[in-house]
Amino acid sequence: MKILKLGLIGHPVEQSLSPWIHTRFMEQTGIDGEYKLYPIEPDVFDKKITALMQSGIDGFNITVPYKQRIIPFLDELDPDAAKIGAVNTAVRKNGKWIGYNTDGSGYVRALEQVIPPKESLHVLMLGAGGAARGIYRALVTHGFRHVDIANRTASKAEELLQLQEPETISEILTFQEVQQQLADYDVIIHTTSVGMSPNAAEQIIPLTNLKPGAVVSDIVYKPIETQLLHTAKQQGALIHHGHSMLLYQAQYAFEIWSGRQVVVGDLLNQLEQRVTEA
Ligand code: ATR
């Protein structure tokens, strides 16, 4: 029987939790396969990626710093990945390499577990970097209509507006303005690296005046409960942890590679334990 050959390219990749996640998905589906780490130094990227793509590998994930640099090596791009301008999943289909972005859609799948998308919901996204691009695009294509953006650098937030759908309504705000109108938002999504270990005491903005029943979501998952989420919980908000995005982007990638459905289920708790112990 054919072995499904998968992997991850990036620099660095050694700490990645993806091999563990995809091994669980292979067990679930009974697929015989491998998911290997391929650390690639930036100065040999072109040579190494070409060799890897010709090696018989079926698909791979792409992480920092190569999500843009991989694009010229691919034959086709999924339209959303093309719009976002970043690829985190490549698959070989009928001899052609196709690039997808499962980060943003994976994030929205994870968010849907705590709050179903509704046009009437007011969403606030904090940050406008690479992660935010994928998430914004997925939000506006998955039933969220009002998505405001606040970023330290306003021009980067403006750039995100190119990813809108015709019905999208988005306002660009400063962090100061956001603090004054925090009570307007049903969902607050933090997409920057502020608060990530070892700077776990940092919090992007104070959280006073949250709307009762608001959801606060953080894509930072180290620590599992960031200072932002801790504060949100104290304010009575429903909190949504970042490690779920990791699982759902992997779920979507695995579906692309294998054509099979897999469930996240208890992997969420198991991953939380692994992140906490690491
Ligand atoms: P990623 O791919 O992880 O999103 P990125 O593209 O470098 O990384 O984006 C980092 C995001 O975090 C940006 O929104 C950045 O704000 P700027 O656009 O103003 O640079 C934000 N960010 C990083 N450090 C920050 C800090 N100390 N305070 C506020 N925002 C910060």
Side-chain angles (χ1 to χ4, degrees), residues 64 127-132 151-153 156 175 191-194 202 204 219:
V64 178
N151 192 48
R152 183 176 56 182
T153 312
K156 281 186 75 181
F175 285 142
T191 71
T192 85
S193 50
V194 175
E202 292 176 2
I204 187 97
I219 70 162

Side-chain angles (χ1 to χ4, degrees), residues 20-34:
W20 180 82
I21 298 172
H22 287 290
T23 305
R24 301 288 83 73
F25 289 153
M26 287 182 216
E27 287 168 359
Q28 231 182 73
T29 48
I31 287 174
D32 193 7
E34 61 178 36

Side-chain angles (χ1 to χ4, degrees), residues 72-140:
F73 294 87
L74 302 169
D75 301 301
E76 280 173 28
L77 284 187
D78 164 75
D80 276 331
K83 252 187 171 333
I84 295 161
V87 166
N88 81 320
T89 302
V91 63
R92 185 163 51 86
K93 253 191 208 148
N94 305 324
K96 275 191 175 170
W97 280 99
I98 306 164
Y100 292 84
N101 188 312
T102 73
D103 287 329
S105 303
Y107 172 79
V108 173
R109 280 188 185 190
L111 184 68
E112 281 170 359
Q113 310 300 312
V114 294
I115 184 161
K118 251 202 251 157
E119 284 201 352
S120 58
L121 291 175
H122 279 91
V123 181
L124 171 68
M125 209 175 68
L126 302 166
R133 281 184 75 80
I135 291 173
Y136 181 78
R137 179 68 192 154
L139 287 168
V140 303

Side-chain angles (χ1 to χ4, degrees), residues 5-274:
K5 287 187 180 170
L6 306 172
L8 170 69
I9 64 157
H11 181 70
V13 291
E14 288 76 8
Q15 302 296 318
S16 171
L17 293 156
S18 294
W20 180 82
I21 298 172
H22 287 290
T23 305
R24 301 288 83 73
F25 289 153
M26 287 182 216
E27 287 168 359
Q28 231 182 73
T29 48
I31 287 174
D32 193 7
E34 61 178 36
Y35 187 102
K36 287 188 182 171
L37 296 176
Y38 296 96
I40 301 183
E41 296 284 334
D43 57 339
V44 290
F45 179 79
D46 293 13
K47 202 175 108 193
K48 288 276 170 91
I49 195 66
T50 306
L52 180 67
M53 291 169 81
Q54 290 171 356
S55 70
I57 196 165
D58 297 293
F60 56 93
N61 282 131
I62 303 97
T63 189
V64 178
Y66 301 132
K67 291 185 187 184
Q68 282 106 32
R69 201 165 163 187
I70 188 68
I71 292 175
F73 294 87
L74 302 169
D75 301 301
E76 280 173 28
L77 284 187
D78 164 75
D80 276 331
K83 252 187 171 333
I84 295 161
V87 166
N88 81 320
T89 302
V91 63
R92 185 163 51 86
K93 253 191 208 148
N94 305 324
K96 275 191 175 170
W97 280 99
I98 306 164
Y100 292 84
N101 188 312
T102 73
D103 287 329
S105 303
Y107 172 79
V108 173
R109 280 188 185 190
L111 184 68
E112 281 170 359
Q113 310 300 312
V114 294
I115 184 161
K118 251 202 251 157
E119 284 201 352
S120 58
L121 291 175
H122 279 91
V123 181
L124 171 68
M125 209 175 68
L126 302 166
R133 281 184 75 80
I135 291 173
Y136 181 78
R137 179 68 192 154
L139 287 168
V140 303
T141 52
H142 285 76
F144 292 95
R145 188 168 180 216
H146 294 263
V147 186
D148 290 348
I149 310 163
N151 192 48
R152 183 176 56 182
T153 312
S155 58
K156 281 186 75 181
E158 297 279 351
E159 281 173 31
L160 254 64
L161 300 182
Q162 291 164 7
L163 303 177
Q164 284 183 356
E165 285 293 284
E167 66 276 14
T168 308
I169 300 168
S170 289
E171 205 185 321
I172 308 293
L173 304 162
T174 64
F175 285 142
Q176 230 164 6
E177 286 166 337
V178 156
Q179 284 168 53
Q180 282 152 14
Q181 55 190 76
L182 216 52
D184 292 349
Y185 294 104
D186 302 290
V187 185
I188 296 167
I189 303 168
H190 173 237
T191 71
T192 85
S193 50
V194 175
M196 189 187 288
S197 179
N199 303 310
E202 292 176 2
Q203 184 176 323
I204 187 97
I205 51 163
L207 290 181
T208 43
N209 240 345
L210 283 176
K211 186 171 182 172
V215 173
V216 177
S217 172
D218 199 336
I219 70 162
V220 172
Y221 63 87
K222 249 183 175 186
I224 286 277
E225 192 160 312
T226 58
Q227 188 58 44
L228 184 80
L229 292 184
H230 181 73
T231 312
K233 201 154 112 181
Q234 282 180 332
Q235 304 271 338
L238 186 59
I239 63 171
H240 178 238
H241 296 95
H243 68 296
S244 60
M245 173 180 180
L246 205 60
L247 281 166
Y248 285 91
Q249 64 76 24
Q251 180 197 47
Y252 182 21
F254 193 82
E255 286 171 9
I256 290 170
W257 293 322
S258 68
R260 301 276 297 274
Q261 302 285 311
V262 281
V263 291
V264 165
D266 190 53
L267 294 181
L268 196 61
N269 289 327
Q270 292 178 38
L271 186 67
E272 177 175 340
Q273 214 166 345
R274 290 185 81 83

